Amino acid sequence: MRPFKLPPQILRLILLTLGIVGSYLVARAMLTPPSFHEYGWYRGEALEELSARTPVFAGKKACEECHSDILQKLGQFEHKTLSCEACHGVSREHADNNDILPVKLTGSHCLRCHEANPSRPKWFKQIVVREHYTGKCSECHVPHAPNQTP
Amino acid sequence: MKQQFSRRSVLARIGAAMAGLLAAPAARAAKTAVQKVFVSSGAAKGYDVMKHKWLMCVDANKCIGCGLCAEACKKENNVPEGPYFRTWIERYVIPKPKPGSGETRGEPIVDSPNGGMHGFPPAAIPPSEIEHSFFVPKLCNLCEHSPCTQVCPVGATFDAPDGAVLIDPKYCIGCGFCIQACPYGCRFLNPFTKTAEKCTLCYHRITRGLKPACVEICPTQARIFGDLNNPVPDDPLQKFCDQNLVQVLKPHLGTEPRVLYAGLDKEVR
């Protein structure tokens, strides 16, 4: 009986398949980021990249470093839950360099929260501006101590 | 057939084996070099993702619909102008029932003009016809079993070990599967980068020990954010869960959200 011999075209097909699969495996090993399976089926490095951005809002803690007196006063009144930047605007630049002043906002900002609206919870202090007063809020209310008059 | 071992062939084989062994580190070096050029980021480390478990709580009773959170989120995360929001406020208006309708309440009207960023115009029905009305802040629900991450074909979105559901913008191909998969509508396709985007819990802030922008800015502390693995003294999360009956959105989907709500009506989805 003649010994079995693989036909050359089959051999070539096998070699070609091995070549394609092999080059795919090499490319995959080289191009998969090293951190890909660090935590799961994703790039572990993405976590660091996402956290690398600089924050925009400085945060109340940054304000407290210099303005602890104002924050202490604020803490005694109804506005104690407010963040400084809720009224004074983004103040990161001011926190980094106190020569740059924060954006001070005027009385109209009060109405953003305190204008009467039937959807607002009942416990929240609301006014109908036309019936309340037409002047400036700060004529009668100290923003940092809303129960006091200036 | 008898195998023939000549001195020459044995030496050749040993030499080939040695070359193979020497080639392994060279191949590894080549692999690192290729990875460095094509896929490495070189971002700095400093935050241990395994040591945190973030949780967000929302008290709908406290939301006054001022829209500062939606506005702060846009500023903080450079979210494009227009109908793109990582967090937004919805207004629910439940009218009084029509006389003789046999119902306890009318059909609820839900709206969110510009995400609530610039406040809400008067409701579609006069105040005298409103039975209940309230605001509900919405954001990514941080699902434990997140449908959005399961459909991503390229491993670009994932549940981080600290509970945040994030998107790797370098890997996202913008196919939009995740946007369709999210049952809470919390994702959108950024029209400029053409990648999916969503609330990251302000990942760049929380990894630095700051609060997310929306939590920082909320004037009534309707949003409470914290770390379950590192409770602070008088922990606000614990206090919130002690004082309120909490629920999640769409519990029947089994997504197990990590955003807990207090004070919701049954109409809120």
Side-chain angles (χ1 to χ4, degrees):
Chain A
M1 206 176 103
R2 268 192 307 165
F4 174 75
K5 198 167 174 259
L6 209 58
Q9 63 270 44
I10 299 291
L11 191 72
R12 261 181 239 132
L13 268 178
I14 290 171
L15 284 176
L16 187 69
T17 312
L18 283 178
I20 290 169
V21 171
S23 49
Y24 162 71
L25 288 174
V26 168
R28 193 178 72 161
M30 289 205 155
L31 294 174
T32 304
S35 69
F36 198 76
H37 283 285
E38 199 177 340
Y39 307 115
W41 201 69
Y42 57 92
R43 231 157 43 94
E45 264 178 348
L47 292 172
E48 283 123 47
E49 284 172 31
L50 285 168
S51 56
R53 245 181 47 237
T54 322
V56 173
F57 286 88
K60 211 171 178 175
K61 268 186 205 157
C63 306
E64 198 164 12
E65 282 175 24
C66 302
H67 302 293
S68 55
D69 52 330
I70 298 175
L71 274 161
Q72 211 170 11
K73 188 185 169 194
L74 188 76
Q76 295 163 5
F77 297 96
E78 290 286 283
H79 277 171
K80 61 187 171 208
T81 53
L82 258 74
S83 167
C84 309
E85 285 165 305
C87 300
H88 294 286
V90 178
S91 305
R92 171 147 211 102
E93 283 182 335
H94 169 69
D96 291 341
N97 175 6
N98 49 20
D99 291 336
I100 304 165
L101 289 175
V103 197
K104 289 243 181 190
L105 294 173
T106 50
S108 63
H109 200 65
C110 306
L111 296 179
R112 183 168 190 160
C113 296
H114 290 289
E115 171 79 84
N117 187 324
S119 305
R120 294 209 156 121
K122 301 286 170 287
W123 61 266
F124 188 71
K125 279 184 184 151
Q126 301 165 57
I127 50 154
V128 178
V129 189
R130 268 177 297 140
E131 295 167 11
H132 187 78
Y133 187 61
T134 44
K136 271 191 154 185
C137 308
S138 55
E139 284 174 33
C140 304
H141 302 283
V142 180
H144 288 154
N147 305 357
Q148 291 182 348
T149 42
Chain B
M1 202 176 87
K2 201 186 164 197
Q3 188 93 29
Q4 291 287 322
F5 286 107
S6 68
R7 178 178 300 209
R8 184 183 294 251
S9 73
V10 168
L11 280 175
R13 275 178 206 192
I14 289 170
M18 292 291 279
L21 280 175
L22 285 174
R28 211 167 294 140
K31 182 181 159 184
T32 349
V34 172
Q35 280 174 343
K36 210 170 188 176
V37 173
F38 286 102
V39 286
S40 186
S41 71
K45 298 194 180 209
Y47 161 82
D48 192 347
V49 72
M50 307 305 278
K51 288 189 180 155
H52 301 268
K53 199 77 184 172
W54 302 109
L55 187 82
M56 177 80 96
C57 298
V58 179
D59 192 343
N61 295 317
K62 285 188 181 171
C63 181
I64 56 167
C66 63
L68 279 167
C69 51
E71 199 185 336
C73 177
K74 278 219 176 192
K75 280 183 190 156
E76 180 72 46
N77 296 300
N78 205 8
V79 176
E81 290 282 310
Y84 307 103
F85 298 96
R86 293 185 179 195
T87 185
W88 67 98
I89 303 174
E90 287 173 4
R91 171 172 63 183
Y92 283 72
V93 177
I94 302 169
K96 284 179 181 158
K98 286 196 183 82
S101 65
E103 304 277 339
T104 54
R105 42 167 59 180
E107 192 65 30
I109 305 159
V110 188
D111 64 348
S112 180
N114 201 14
M117 251 175 81
H118 304 301
F120 289 80
I125 56 170
S128 57
E129 286 175 29
I130 297 175
E131 186 171 277
H132 286 298
S133 184
F134 49 89
F135 296 110
V136 182
K138 292 276 185 84
L139 71 156
C140 168
N141 279 260
L142 307 171
C143 305
E144 203 77 63
H145 305 302
S146 47
C148 55
T149 62
Q150 286 167 32
V151 296
C152 182
V154 292
T157 183
F158 49 89
D159 300 310
D162 56 3
V165 180
L166 299 171
I167 297 172
D168 178 350
K170 280 192 185 167
Y171 259 41
C172 179
I173 55 170
C175 67
F177 286 0
C178 57
I179 296 166
Q180 294 197 30
C182 176
Y184 304 101
C186 296
R187 289 171 171 248
F188 61 90
L189 198 71
N190 186 312
F192 300 106
T193 60
K194 309 278 185 213
T195 58
E197 258 186 43
K198 68 180 285 297
C199 165
T200 60
L201 280 179
C202 283
Y203 210 66
H204 58 297
R205 294 177 66 84
I206 61 173
T207 50
R208 285 174 166 82
L210 296 165
K211 289 181 201 162
C214 58
V215 179
E216 173 72 41
I217 219 75
C218 179
T220 58
Q221 293 182 335
R223 294 165 184 251
I224 293 138
F225 178 78
D227 186 352
L228 291 177
N229 284 4
N230 303 289
V232 291
D234 197 20
D235 198 52
L237 287 180
Q238 203 55 53
K239 224 164 126 186
F240 177 86
C241 294
D242 283 349
Q243 290 173 350
N244 295 294
L245 300 172
V246 296
Q247 69 179 96
V248 295
L249 297 181
K250 301 188 184 179
H252 58 283
L253 296 177
T255 52
E256 290 189 33
R258 298 166 51 70
V259 173
L260 307 178
Y261 280 88
L264 287 190
D265 188 80
K266 81 177 176 69
E267 307 294 351
V268 180
R269 297 281 179 269

mmCIF file of all heavy atoms in Angstrom, chain B residues 120-141:
data_model
loop_
_atom_site.group_PDB
_atom_site.id
_atom_site.type_symbol
_atom_site.label_atom_id
_atom_site.label_comp_id
_atom_site.label_asym_id
_atom_site.label_seq_id
_atom_site.Cartn_x
_atom_site.Cartn_y
_atom_site.Cartn_z
ATOM 1 N N PHE B 120 -38.124 76.838 34.295
ATOM 2 C CA PHE B 120 -39.286 76.258 33.627
ATOM 3 C C PHE B 120 -40.328 77.337 33.368
ATOM 4 O O PHE B 120 -40.674 78.080 34.271
ATOM 5 C CB PHE B 120 -39.889 75.159 34.509
ATOM 6 C CG PHE B 120 -39.034 73.924 34.575
ATOM 7 C CD1 PHE B 120 -37.933 73.876 35.415
ATOM 8 C CD2 PHE B 120 -39.310 72.827 33.787
ATOM 9 C CE1 PHE B 120 -37.127 72.748 35.474
ATOM 10 C CE2 PHE B 120 -38.510 71.700 33.839
ATOM 11 C CZ PHE B 120 -37.422 71.653 34.679
ATOM 12 N N PRO B 121 -40.855 77.431 32.135
ATOM 13 C CA PRO B 121 -41.956 78.356 31.884
ATOM 14 C C PRO B 121 -43.209 77.849 32.601
ATOM 15 O O PRO B 121 -43.225 76.694 33.038
ATOM 16 C CB PRO B 121 -42.117 78.296 30.360
ATOM 17 C CG PRO B 121 -41.592 76.964 29.961
ATOM 18 C CD PRO B 121 -40.519 76.633 30.946
ATOM 19 N N PRO B 122 -44.260 78.682 32.715
ATOM 20 C CA PRO B 122 -45.472 78.195 33.380
ATOM 21 C C PRO B 122 -45.957 76.886 32.740
ATOM 22 O O PRO B 122 -45.803 76.677 31.538
ATOM 23 C CB PRO B 122 -46.480 79.318 33.159
ATOM 24 C CG PRO B 122 -45.649 80.539 32.954
ATOM 25 C CD PRO B 122 -44.378 80.088 32.314
ATOM 26 N N ALA B 123 -46.528 76.022 33.565
ATOM 27 C CA ALA B 123 -46.966 74.707 33.087
ATOM 28 C C ALA B 123 -48.065 74.848 32.031
ATOM 29 O O ALA B 123 -48.688 75.906 31.900
ATOM 30 C CB ALA B 123 -47.465 73.879 34.260
ATOM 31 N N ALA B 124 -48.282 73.760 31.298
ATOM 32 C CA ALA B 124 -49.256 73.782 30.202
ATOM 33 C C ALA B 124 -50.682 73.979 30.699
ATOM 34 O O ALA B 124 -51.559 74.369 29.930
ATOM 35 C CB ALA B 124 -49.149 72.482 29.402
ATOM 36 N N ILE B 125 -50.932 73.687 31.963
ATOM 37 C CA ILE B 125 -52.280 73.873 32.507
ATOM 38 C C ILE B 125 -52.226 74.879 33.647
ATOM 39 O O ILE B 125 -51.182 75.030 34.288
ATOM 40 C CB ILE B 125 -52.891 72.531 32.977
ATOM 41 C CG1 ILE B 125 -51.973 71.843 33.997
ATOM 42 C CG2 ILE B 125 -53.177 71.601 31.804
ATOM 43 C CD1 ILE B 125 -52.611 70.659 34.681
ATOM 44 N N PRO B 126 -53.312 75.630 33.890
ATOM 45 C CA PRO B 126 -53.274 76.631 34.969
ATOM 46 C C PRO B 126 -53.091 75.981 36.340
ATOM 47 O O PRO B 126 -53.493 74.825 36.549
ATOM 48 C CB PRO B 126 -54.648 77.307 34.860
ATOM 49 C CG PRO B 126 -55.487 76.398 34.049
ATOM 50 C CD PRO B 126 -54.573 75.628 33.165
ATOM 51 N N PRO B 127 -52.453 76.723 37.271
ATOM 52 C CA PRO B 127 -52.141 76.150 38.598
ATOM 53 C C PRO B 127 -53.363 75.576 39.316
ATOM 54 O O PRO B 127 -53.241 74.614 40.078
ATOM 55 C CB PRO B 127 -51.571 77.336 39.363
ATOM 56 C CG PRO B 127 -51.077 78.271 38.322
ATOM 57 C CD PRO B 127 -51.932 78.075 37.115
ATOM 58 N N SER B 128 -54.557 76.140 39.046
ATOM 59 C CA SER B 128 -55.744 75.652 39.760
ATOM 60 C C SER B 128 -56.111 74.230 39.334
ATOM 61 O O SER B 128 -56.820 73.523 40.046
ATOM 62 C CB SER B 128 -56.923 76.592 39.495
ATOM 63 O OG SER B 128 -57.143 76.676 38.095
ATOM 64 N N GLU B 129 -55.648 73.791 38.164
ATOM 65 C CA GLU B 129 -55.994 72.441 37.686
ATOM 66 C C GLU B 129 -54.933 71.409 38.042
ATOM 67 O O GLU B 129 -55.064 70.235 37.700
ATOM 68 C CB GLU B 129 -56.180 72.466 36.153
ATOM 69 C CG GLU B 129 -57.466 73.131 35.726
ATOM 70 C CD GLU B 129 -57.573 73.243 34.211
ATOM 71 O OE1 GLU B 129 -56.993 72.393 33.514
ATOM 72 O OE2 GLU B 129 -58.221 74.190 33.752
ATOM 73 N N ILE B 130 -53.857 71.867 38.700
ATOM 74 C CA ILE B 130 -52.763 70.944 39.026
ATOM 75 C C ILE B 130 -53.054 70.237 40.346
ATOM 76 O O ILE B 130 -53.334 70.888 41.359
ATOM 77 C CB ILE B 130 -51.418 71.694 39.117
ATOM 78 C CG1 ILE B 130 -51.069 72.303 37.760
ATOM 79 C CG2 ILE B 130 -50.305 70.766 39.585
ATOM 80 C CD1 ILE B 130 -49.826 73.168 37.771
ATOM 81 N N GLU B 131 -53.003 68.924 40.329
ATOM 82 C CA GLU B 131 -53.148 68.166 41.570
ATOM 83 C C GLU B 131 -51.797 68.067 42.275
ATOM 84 O O GLU B 131 -51.668 68.354 43.451
ATOM 85 C CB GLU B 131 -53.700 66.767 41.270
ATOM 86 C CG GLU B 131 -54.009 65.978 42.536
ATOM 87 C CD GLU B 131 -54.747 64.686 42.217
ATOM 88 O OE1 GLU B 131 -55.975 64.755 42.051
ATOM 89 O OE2 GLU B 131 -54.097 63.632 42.131
ATOM 90 N N HIS B 132 -50.799 67.611 41.506
ATOM 91 C CA HIS B 132 -49.441 67.537 42.031
ATOM 92 C C HIS B 132 -48.501 68.007 40.947
ATOM 93 O O HIS B 132 -48.749 67.794 39.763
ATOM 94 C CB HIS B 132 -49.063 66.090 42.354
ATOM 95 C CG HIS B 132 -49.710 65.560 43.579
ATOM 96 N ND1 HIS B 132 -49.492 66.097 44.814
ATOM 97 C CD2 HIS B 132 -50.566 64.536 43.759
ATOM 98 C CE1 HIS B 132 -50.192 65.422 45.705
ATOM 99 N NE2 HIS B 132 -50.869 64.470 45.088
ATOM 100 N N SER B 133 -47.403 68.588 41.371
ATOM 101 C CA SER B 133 -46.349 68.907 40.413
ATOM 102 C C SER B 133 -45.026 68.888 41.154
ATOM 103 O O SER B 133 -44.956 69.317 42.307
ATOM 104 C CB SER B 133 -46.613 70.268 39.785
ATOM 105 O OG SER B 133 -45.634 70.495 38.793
ATOM 106 N N PHE B 134 -44.028 68.369 40.506
ATOM 107 C CA PHE B 134 -42.723 68.251 41.183
ATOM 108 C C PHE B 134 -41.631 68.093 40.143
ATOM 109 O O PHE B 134 -41.893 67.829 38.969
ATOM 110 C CB PHE B 134 -42.717 67.052 42.141
ATOM 111 C CG PHE B 134 -43.222 65.783 41.519
ATOM 112 C CD1 PHE B 134 -42.360 64.934 40.856
ATOM 113 C CD2 PHE B 134 -44.578 65.455 41.573
ATOM 114 C CE1 PHE B 134 -42.829 63.779 40.266
ATOM 115 C CE2 PHE B 134 -45.053 64.298 40.979
ATOM 116 C CZ PHE B 134 -44.183 63.460 40.321
ATOM 117 N N PHE B 135 -40.401 68.284 40.598
ATOM 118 C CA PHE B 135 -39.236 68.148 39.715
ATOM 119 C C PHE B 135 -38.488 66.863 40.057
ATOM 120 O O PHE B 135 -38.436 66.464 41.227
ATOM 121 C CB PHE B 135 -38.287 69.327 39.904
ATOM 122 C CG PHE B 135 -38.867 70.647 39.508
ATOM 123 C CD1 PHE B 135 -39.182 71.598 40.468
ATOM 124 C CD2 PHE B 135 -39.088 70.953 38.178
ATOM 125 C CE1 PHE B 135 -39.712 72.826 40.109
ATOM 126 C CE2 PHE B 135 -39.614 72.176 37.809
ATOM 127 C CZ PHE B 135 -39.926 73.113 38.776
ATOM 128 N N VAL B 136 -37.913 66.245 39.047
ATOM 129 C CA VAL B 136 -37.079 65.059 39.275
ATOM 130 C C VAL B 136 -35.759 65.231 38.530
ATOM 131 O O VAL B 136 -35.746 65.288 37.309
ATOM 132 C CB VAL B 136 -37.777 63.766 38.787
ATOM 133 C CG1 VAL B 136 -36.901 62.561 39.074
ATOM 134 C CG2 VAL B 136 -39.131 63.606 39.431
ATOM 135 N N PRO B 137 -34.663 65.342 39.255
ATOM 136 C CA PRO B 137 -33.359 65.393 38.575
ATOM 137 C C PRO B 137 -33.003 64.008 38.050
ATOM 138 O O PRO B 137 -33.229 63.007 38.735
ATOM 139 C CB PRO B 137 -32.384 65.813 39.678
ATOM 140 C CG PRO B 137 -33.207 66.093 40.886
ATOM 141 C CD PRO B 137 -34.522 65.433 40.708
ATOM 142 N N LYS B 138 -32.480 63.973 36.841
ATOM 143 C CA LYS B 138 -32.110 62.687 36.242
ATOM 144 C C LYS B 138 -30.623 62.701 35.889
ATOM 145 O O LYS B 138 -30.065 63.750 35.547
ATOM 146 C CB LYS B 138 -32.923 62.447 34.962
ATOM 147 C CG LYS B 138 -34.416 62.229 35.185
ATOM 148 C CD LYS B 138 -34.703 60.786 35.537
ATOM 149 C CE LYS B 138 -36.182 60.490 35.644
ATOM 150 N NZ LYS B 138 -36.819 60.191 34.385
ATOM 151 N N LEU B 139 -30.044 61.526 35.948
ATOM 152 C CA LEU B 139 -28.650 61.356 35.546
ATOM 153 C C LEU B 139 -28.443 59.877 35.272
ATOM 154 O O LEU B 139 -29.384 59.093 35.385
ATOM 155 C CB LEU B 139 -27.695 61.851 36.645
ATOM 156 C CG LEU B 139 -27.590 61.031 37.926
ATOM 157 C CD1 LEU B 139 -26.267 61.305 38.579
ATOM 158 C CD2 LEU B 139 -28.699 61.345 38.898
ATOM 159 N N CYS B 140 -27.220 59.492 34.929
ATOM 160 C CA CYS B 140 -26.904 58.078 34.745
ATOM 161 C C CYS B 140 -27.246 57.344 36.031
ATOM 162 O O CYS B 140 -26.906 57.795 37.119
ATOM 163 C CB CYS B 140 -25.417 57.904 34.439
ATOM 164 S SG CYS B 140 -24.877 56.181 34.550
ATOM 165 N N ASN B 141 -27.931 56.217 35.910
ATOM 166 C CA ASN B 141 -28.369 55.481 37.100
ATOM 167 C C ASN B 141 -27.313 54.521 37.644
ATOM 168 O O ASN B 141 -27.583 53.805 38.598
ATOM 169 C CB ASN B 141 -29.670 54.760 36.813
ATOM 170 C CG ASN B 141 -30.854 55.691 36.941
ATOM 171 O OD1 ASN B 141 -31.539 55.687 37.945
ATOM 172 N ND2 ASN B 141 -31.077 56.532 35.963
#
